[in-house]
Amino acid sequence: MRSQRQTIAKSVAGKLFAAEEAIDIAAARIAELNAALPIARLDARFGAAIGQDALVSSASAVMLIAQTRQEIIATHANLKQTNDDVGLAEVSYGDLFKAEHRQQPADGRHLRAA
């Protein structure tokens, strides 16, 4: 059963890491767009009002992606807690995330090989 739980946890962790990466890439691309919009306006010698709505909506998108990133960070922490709660506290998920090795509670809920 522990092996099955570890396999499931690794699968979920892989999806979590992929989501975190996708959000960071999206944040970077939106930031690039935000930087390009005013430069494009200047290069084209358009008036300041040209493209203002696009700049505002793109800036709003960056705030939304920052909020989304905060939520996925909270999800990561919640999944780590869940991992600990089901007794997989000493499982490591690849090079990016190493679980801290902590003493298990002495209440007998978690069994470990010595």
Side-chain angles (χ1 to χ4, degrees), residues 48-114:
I50 301 297
Q52 179 62 21
D53 291 342
L55 182 62
V56 168
S57 60
S58 185
S60 177
V62 109
M63 290 302 299
L64 290 172
I65 201 76
Q67 291 170 357
T68 300
R69 190 174 189 279
Q70 181 63 40
E71 292 302 321
I72 205 72
I73 289 169
T75 299
H76 193 135
N78 291 332
L79 286 171
K80 172 65 172 106
Q81 183 60 52
T82 300
N83 194 49
D84 292 349
D85 291 346
V86 298
L88 296 175
E90 296 194 23
V91 174
S92 176
Y93 301 110
D95 294 337
L96 298 176
F97 179 78
K98 300 291 184 195
E100 292 181 23
H101 294 282
R102 298 184 300 189
Q103 287 294 93
Q104 296 296 328
D107 63 6
R109 289 185 306 154
H110 302 286
L111 298 176
R112 290 179 36 178

Side-chain angles (χ1 to χ4, degrees), residues 6-18 79 93:
Q6 286 176 334
T7 300
I8 292 167
K10 287 180 182 180
S11 174
V12 170
K15 289 170 180 42
L16 173 66
F17 296 147
L79 286 171
Y93 301 110

